[in-house]
Amino acid sequence: MGDGFTDRLLANGTYDKVMRLAQDAFFSLEPYKSFRDYFTCRYINAVSKDERVVDWYKSHDTALGVGFNENSAVLDVNAPTVIKYLQEKANIVDMDNTLVIVVANISERRGTCHMYPLGTGLYGAGFAVAVGALCDFQDTLNHECGHGFAKLADEYISYPDKTLPQSSANSLKRTDHPKGWWKNIDVTDNPSEILWGRFLSDPRYASDDIGIFEGGWLYGLGVYRPSEDSMMRTTYTGYGF
């Protein structure tokens, strides 16, 4: 569904075009591409009064309440409203197996994924809303869907000279990994113990450059990722998962 699209943009076909482009962008990457038949996809008309999404502190009236802070890349969204649309307009009740993609009518490069483990409490499933900007959903929105659908962690580094805090490492191993979250990062560089160790010697992945690379989850030290670059580290066209 989209936010910041008025009845005019629905009537002239713009909304339909954007929704279909977003779907095509999602399925342009593996492994989604090969497993597309396992997904049920639909889009929901969400009519806004204003044709723009602006700063939280400025007045605007949009269907899903998407807003941003001028000093942050975060795009907030009104989750209860999104859920209401799902239930009333699409009769979707299996929330733990639902990912919502929201395309915001905004030209700035922004994206956020909001994770809401509901229903059964199975975090490896878990309802999520991936929000991205109209200008670059091919890249940023696919990155956010990596969080929301696959429960992948960020692999980029904001603090290159800092070590992952021990409290975060403990949480990763004791809480997140058992629930199916953030399994693309680990706190060991031992090939026999790291989560993706079995892929390192699997000939089917010999050309995929899978390895053990230090840095991820914002920190440059003490945490490891399986590839030099990927959609979860560098959200530019050309990188897959």
Side-chain angles (χ1 to χ4, degrees):
M1 58 185 81
D3 201 40
F5 295 86
T6 61
D7 51 0
R8 181 185 73 86
L9 296 178
L10 269 73
N12 69 14
T14 297
Y15 191 89
D16 178 83
K17 179 180 179 180
V18 169
M19 294 301 101
R20 295 182 186 279
L21 285 173
Q23 176 180 259
D24 290 344
F26 180 87
F27 287 110
S28 67
L29 298 175
E30 294 289 0
Y32 302 133
K33 183 187 296 184
S34 292
F35 290 94
R36 183 166 182 163
D37 289 346
Y38 289 81
F39 289 78
T40 298
C41 304
R42 62 189 72 184
Y43 78 76
I44 299 172
N45 288 337
V47 184
S48 297
K49 291 184 178 179
D50 290 336
E51 287 186 8
R52 59 184 184 139
V53 171
V54 299
D55 192 294
W56 287 310
Y57 305 107
K58 297 178 181 177
S59 177
H60 66 288
D61 190 347
T62 60
L64 307 177
V66 173
F68 64 87
N69 186 312
E70 290 181 345
N71 299 317
S72 171
V74 173
L75 283 171
D76 204 359
V77 68
N78 190 320
T81 300
V82 170
I83 293 172
K84 184 177 180 181
Y85 268 85
L86 290 176
Q87 294 174 339
E88 293 184 357
K89 296 187 178 296
N91 195 33
I92 294 175
V93 295
D94 184 9
M95 305 301 292
D96 272 329
N97 286 308
T98 298
L99 167 69
V100 177
I101 297 173
V102 174
V103 181
N105 191 5
I106 181 177
S107 58
E108 289 89 346
R109 182 182 173 87
R110 298 172 185 269
T112 311
C113 185
H114 303 273
M115 321 266 282
Y116 309 96
L118 302 172
T120 63
L122 296 175
Y123 283 56
F127 174 59
V129 182
V131 190
L134 178 64
C135 63
D136 69 343
F137 51 70
Q138 177 70 56
D139 301 317
T140 298
L141 196 53
N142 276 335
H143 172 96
E144 302 305 339
C145 290
H147 294 311
F149 179 77
K151 305 301 186 281
L152 298 175
D154 285 318
E155 295 179 8
Y156 56 79
I157 301 168
S158 298
Y159 314 110
D161 299 323
K162 292 186 177 181
T163 300
L164 182 74
Q166 189 60 48
S167 59
S168 297
N170 292 340
S171 175
L172 186 69
K173 300 303 289 184
R174 296 174 184 175
T175 303
D176 299 324
H177 284 167
K179 291 178 178 177
W181 284 33
W182 315 151
K183 297 184 81 171
N184 59 317
I185 57 170
D186 208 339
V187 293
T188 178
D189 61 354
N190 187 329
S192 64
E193 296 179 2
I194 203 163
L195 281 172
W196 54 91
R198 66 187 183 278
F199 294 108
L200 298 175
S201 59
D202 190 323
R204 293 175 297 175
Y205 302 97
S207 63
D208 289 344
D209 297 323
I210 295 176
I212 300 174
F213 300 84
E214 191 167 19
W217 219 20
L218 305 184
Y219 291 88
L221 304 171
V223 59
Y224 303 89
R225 64 187 190 278
S227 60
E228 179 62 36
D229 279 304
S230 78
M231 178 59 67
M232 300 314 295
R233 185 179 185 211
T234 308
T235 54
Y236 297 101
T237 300
Y239 293 108
F241 290 104

